Amino acid sequence: MLGDDAVARQMIASTLVQPSPDRPLVAVLGGGQLGRMLAEAGIPLGLRFHFLDPSADATARALGELTIGALDDLAAAETAARGAEVITYEWEGVPAATAQALAAIAPVRPGPRALDVSQDRLAEKEMFGRLGVGVAAFAAVDERADLMRALDAVGLPSILKTRRGGYDGKGQRVLRGDGDVDAAWDALGGVPLVLEALVPFRRELSVLAARGLDGTTRCWPLVENTHADGILRVSRAPAPALTGGLQAGGEEIARRVLEHLAYVGVLAVELFEHDSALLANELAPRVHNSGHWTIEGSETSQFEQHLRAVLGWPLGSTAMRGFAGMANCIGALPEPDAVLALEGAHLHDYEKAPRPGRKVGHVTVTGPTEPDRDHRLAAVLEIAGGS
Ligand code: AMP
């Protein structure tokens, strides 16, 4: 018989068991839920993970080693990357200097061009324009006088955004009348901005796609996304009423971007459907919240696909397993048993402290038909609508 202390020691030891060092190591810059879900997909493939994150509470710590450090802390980044087969990221804010320094240790995938473009909304829009991809009318604003010129060019209503660092609707202000201009400038001014026409879109869609090391590309069906307060709330895949033309248009946008950037990995392009055409809003050079449904709803999840791509492995099928929907849990999680009582529902708890406006988990539903999916999603939203 083991005494209480010995049992406790055994339990601690078993929770600290390290995967074999022979397993290929993937270094991930960022240790949030996207990193965590990468590891959830990669551990069964025989991989181990080392994350770099500024927070000791980074949720990915449960699934790999964690080095605590800022993403511009080169010594910390090198510690996380040491011995890695490949280095990837789950946040597009990775500084160029970090990516460059780490490239001496192992390949950084996706490469630096994707980071450069996606860190600057102006560069992103200019790239889309060069690739023949439609975007909302826009103008650069670097100083107050530019704003008046930009308003003349773009008109009202419009939306003023910081060029760098905005996410989840942060760093932007809608301008509906001349009276909004000063307040928006005061709130955002002093940093490079871009003014965009406010698109009266029919709906928001996203296209998720992957490119492998050998140049093979794969695309999932387009996703319909609903946001509130700038945060994604609900995704439906395939998007309802998805015509062949929309799907082909979304795939073509993704393919042009993937090839232009010689991209390796999964990316998402956020789109507006307007007048039966697609306009590109934003590029995310990483796995994306609107692709979480792929874990249960696709033959290959976006997380597994990203790992396959960055490791130079064959890409997997992006065929759907029926119809899928996803609801983000914002601020707090629903009771697990209430979610699990719903047919076709799958709960993902990110192990993050509840806080208003914070993504703490998501629920995916799958169903054999579109009405099943919608019915199940509505039931999930009743209990996991979030705050
Ligand atoms: P973003 O940070 O660019 O992804 O914007 C967050 C959300 O703001 C988008 O998902 C849209 O709902 C809305 N939004 C952003 N840009 C525009 C635009 N040019 N026209 C209309 N809505 C926009």
Side-chain angles (χ1 to χ4, degrees), residues 121 124-125 136-137 157-159 161 166-172 174 195-201 204 225-232 270-272 280-282:
R121 288 184 190 273
E124 206 170 68
K125 285 181 197 307
S158 49
I159 180 162
K161 299 181 178 178
Y167 69 98
D168 278 352
K170 295 187 175 68
Q172 50 182 265
V174 173
L195 184 74
E196 286 175 35
L198 194 69
V199 180
F201 52 75
E204 294 189 72
N225 301 311
T226 313
H227 294 81
D229 304 324
I231 303 178
L232 179 67
E270 296 178 17
L271 304 163
F272 300 135
N281 176 37
E282 206 174 20

